[in-house]
Amino acid sequence: MADMVTITDGLRFPEGPVVMPDGSVIVTEIEQGKITRVKPDGSKETVATTGGGPNGLALGPDGKLYCCNNGGFEYAEANGYLAPHGIANDYSGGRIERIDIATGQVEILYKSGDHGCVLRGPNDIVFDEHGGFWFTDHGKVDYAKRCHDIVGIFYAKIDGSHLEEVIFPSNNPNGVGLAPDGSALYAAETYTCRLMKFNITAPGKVAPDAGPGGPGIPLYRPAGYKFFDSLAMEANGNICVATIGECGISVISPAGELVEFVATDDIFTTNIAFGGDDMMDAYITLSGSGRLVKTRWNRPGLKLQY
């Protein structure tokens, strides 16, 4: 296992790390329905209270945070681990939120039904060079009704003028990222444990027939008891996918080869983000045990658009 330093603990299923210029890291606490800033000394402060289930998080071109809110989960807690377990009894609907970091104001930018789109459980988000953003909808599991949502991948603009389900169906996509040159969109499917590639043809558009039977190209799928969660990109184009089950980070080349597997000690290893002057500081959310950890990475991460 890599040498990892715990920055803070006591978080309630943290995800969506955003590395800030001052060295702090802003994360979502899904179970608590809030956004939290973790300072380098490990102290914490609440940025905003969203309710529901704040999940993926990204800085936009306006300096505000954009949040994928999944509407909430129920949770099970055992053996020191917290885990989502089905749709929340008070499920409040999937939506995209805009958050003012300075004031904590939360604005719903898109909700289910807007522009004819159904949002069940928005999960992860990435901005492109045009100022728009891609996001995945992971959907919901309703154990009482014995059903599982069929979901997709969306593209939207920050002015509220455009929301489109570009890719449908998708097998419960989770992490999402863009190739360094913007030519490809990557999405990690949780339950199939597949990393999918989509060829981008224009802002918010993908080639419809790049793969067998549709737009997606299956790039990589590991053996064993594993599930994919969120992802981040390296500067060289490798895709770093947080891996649940056999816990750690799977680093996959653009050619679909496993470069390395960096082990962690939390079965719910969910997110990775890069920062530091050389972009080789890796911040990882260990969600089951409620920790944010930091380690030195072997290669530089890709700088995000904002």
Side-chain angles (χ1 to χ4, degrees), residues 175 178-180 186-189 192-197 217-223 226-243 248-262 272 274 297 299-300:
L178 289 165
Y186 297 101
E189 298 175 350
T192 61
C193 203
R194 292 192 305 181
L195 179 63
M196 301 293 290
K197 176 185 178 183
I217 304 166
L219 192 66
Y220 177 78
R221 184 178 187 177
K226 301 179 184 179
F227 304 92
F228 279 161
D229 205 286
S230 188
L231 64 83
M233 303 295 300
E234 292 183 355
N236 63 9
N238 288 341
I239 308 101
C240 302
V241 189
T243 305
I249 307 293
S250 302
V251 183
I252 302 154
S253 76
E257 300 170 341
L258 183 66
V259 175
E260 67 172 333
F261 182 82
V262 179
I272 179 172
F274 294 104
W297 207 245
R299 296 160 299 275

Side-chain angles (χ1 to χ4, degrees), residues 105 190 200 207 238 246 253 280:
Q105 180 183 5
T190 297
I200 293 176
N238 288 341
E246 185 180 347
S253 76
M280 293 178 68

